[in-house]
Amino acid sequence: MPRKIAAGNWKMNGTAEDLLQLTALSSAHPDPTVDVIICPPATLISQARTNAGKIGIGGQDCNTAVSGAHTGEISASMMKAAGATSIIVGHSERRTDHGESDALIAKKAQAAYAAGLVAIICIGETLAEREAGTTLDVMDVQLAGSVPDDATAANTVIAYEPVWAIGTGKVPSTEQIAEVHAHIRRVLKVRFADANEIPLLYGGSVKDSNAAEIFAVDNVDGALVGGASLKAVDFSPIISALEKA
Ligand code: 13P
């Protein structure tokens, strides 16, 4: 069985005072039976590490280089040194806002591996692609292009985040999630010997009210949560739902 993961992506939210949420989360879950990860903005990684107890800390993006003349950029090894153990790459907001290609995302994942970090690689279709019936084809292209050949169950997590479900309150049906996750598992099996162990997360408007239903879907090993990860009171029941799943 893949390990279960409840991951929170704070996106561009949070200053030092918000770390109280992390302290509250870690007191509510001093010994979680699933992996819990919070990805705060890079400015908070180091402080977050000291407030997080058994909660893992992750980054949200990285440059492909280790260091150098790249103003404004942060490398995977710098985030590792600050206390991160994982890093999100290929989030749809980066694909859209920064025009990130699958090839660039694969290089970022490799930069994460080289730094000793787990890459949480995000994929997902737009509403237009879903309506055109091309969701599984989009998954094929994104998996082929953005998951490096040296991915393993130890260094990689795949997050399926339909773009139209992110921050919208719209969630695919459990049948739709099951179809995509089964497809992702099949595609990974062709390339990776340990594909059955690679955690597959669902992301997009996950909340306390829908978490248990989503976690009951085959091949869903956890969630990547945006808005509902910002407050301990919202994220804690999602962690509990995964622990019970
Ligand atoms: P929401 O949970 O706010 O829909 O965001 C999902 C997401 O993009 C996590 O990376």
Side-chain angles (χ1 to χ4, degrees), residues 58-105:
Q60 298 178 11
D61 176 50
C62 63
N63 193 272
T64 56
V66 173
S67 61
H70 306 288
T71 301
E73 293 290 289
I74 304 176
S75 73
S77 56
M78 290 159 75
M79 280 183 265
K80 160 106 173 172
T85 49
S86 59
I87 190 151
I88 297 169
V89 297
H91 193 281
S92 65
E93 286 150 18
R94 294 211 57 91
R95 290 177 186 261
T96 304
D97 297 354
H98 301 271
E100 293 196 1
S101 67
D102 287 316
L104 177 65
I105 292 157

Side-chain angles (χ1 to χ4, degrees), residues 188-202:
L188 293 174
K189 274 191 198 174
V190 174
R191 285 177 66 197
F192 305 106
D194 61 357
N196 277 333
E197 303 300 318
I198 297 179
L200 306 186
L201 311 186
Y202 167 78

Side-chain angles (χ1 to χ4, degrees), residues 222-244:
L224 180 55
V225 181
S229 73
L230 295 172
K231 299 267 182 262
V233 69
D234 295 326
F235 198 41
S236 177
I238 295 174
I239 296 169
S240 300
L242 187 60
E243 287 181 318
K244 286 185 208 129

